[in-house]
Amino acid sequence: MEAAESSSVYVVRDPEAARVLTDAAQLRYFAPFLAQDRTIAQVAEETGSKLNTAYVRTRRYLELGLLRVVREEKRAGRAVKVYRSVADVLYVPLAGPVDLENYLRWNGFWEREIVKGLLYAHGEGSRRWGSRVYRDAEGVLTESLALGPREDYDPTAPGEPAMFNRFHDSMYLDYPDAKAFQRELDALMRKYGSRGGAQRYIVRFNLVPVPEDAEVIP
């Protein structure tokens, strides 16, 4: 691990250490240590892990150079070690081409979390709903959650769970409009992301340019 310009920033070059920070499933267990003082017991509670499992992970993070012991708290018997990330900011540079496998692994993790959230939001209702596949008035292939073959489900209706799950694979925009859309989405995320509340939500927007040679369903 290599120090950057600031003492609170480290550049991570070890492949195994980088994988901990770029794999969503692994990052979840390291996250409590980032810029925070934590004991193994605290991390076990925060991540819902067994104490022994949290201990094994912590030892691995130490071996990878991602953690440091900041102090030991005295108590009856053995003192309790308090850990913290080696820097408040850990930077993993992309060396060479984008790691497609890593992106697929990251996306796969969040896809599963989103599906679990959808099933939780739908509750018992998901057992009587279906999926409707058709072309809309503009000829765009559409797949939507439906109450029947002729009636789409409206998640914005009063009393329904607060969720949004839509996909559009053929939105055509000129660059200025695409940038405006990008900035509006970013502003919306910032507006509501800083409010705080009782219920945890997963929010994911994707706006990506499609290469000209990409396969498009006619």
Side-chain angles (χ1 to χ4, degrees), residues 45-174:
E45 182 178 358
E46 290 178 28
T47 59
S49 304
K50 294 181 179 179
L51 190 62
N52 187 58
T53 302
Y55 171 77
V56 171
R57 290 196 184 106
T58 301
R59 186 172 60 184
R60 178 168 178 257
Y61 300 150
L62 282 168
E63 293 172 351
L64 292 174
L66 293 172
L67 286 186
R68 59 191 173 94
V69 179
V70 292
R71 66 180 182 277
E72 292 190 6
E73 296 180 347
K74 294 183 179 180
R75 65 171 187 177
R78 183 181 298 178
V80 175
K81 293 182 179 179
V82 180
Y83 304 87
R84 186 186 180 100
S85 57
V86 293
D88 290 350
V89 177
L90 302 175
Y91 175 70
V92 182
L94 285 177
V98 174
D99 186 347
L100 178 60
E101 181 180 347
N102 183 58
Y103 271 107
L104 291 176
R105 185 169 56 246
W106 179 279
N107 285 333
F109 172 83
W110 287 114
E111 288 293 343
R112 290 190 295 273
E113 293 298 300
I114 289 171
V115 168
K116 286 191 287 186
L118 288 171
L119 293 176
Y120 168 76
H122 294 330
E124 291 298 317
S126 62
R127 297 183 180 181
R128 57 184 173 83
W129 296 330
S131 181
R132 198 160 80 100
V133 181
Y134 62 98
R135 289 193 183 276
D136 63 16
E138 298 177 354
V140 177
L141 182 66
T142 304
E143 181 181 0
S144 60
L145 187 64
L147 297 175
R150 293 181 177 82
E151 182 183 2
D152 284 344
Y153 170 70
D154 180 11
T156 64
E160 294 297 332
M163 63 178 184
F164 187 82
N165 183 39
R166 293 186 62 184
F167 181 79
H168 202 316
D169 69 341
S170 297
M171 180 179 289
Y172 291 89
L173 299 172
D174 291 328

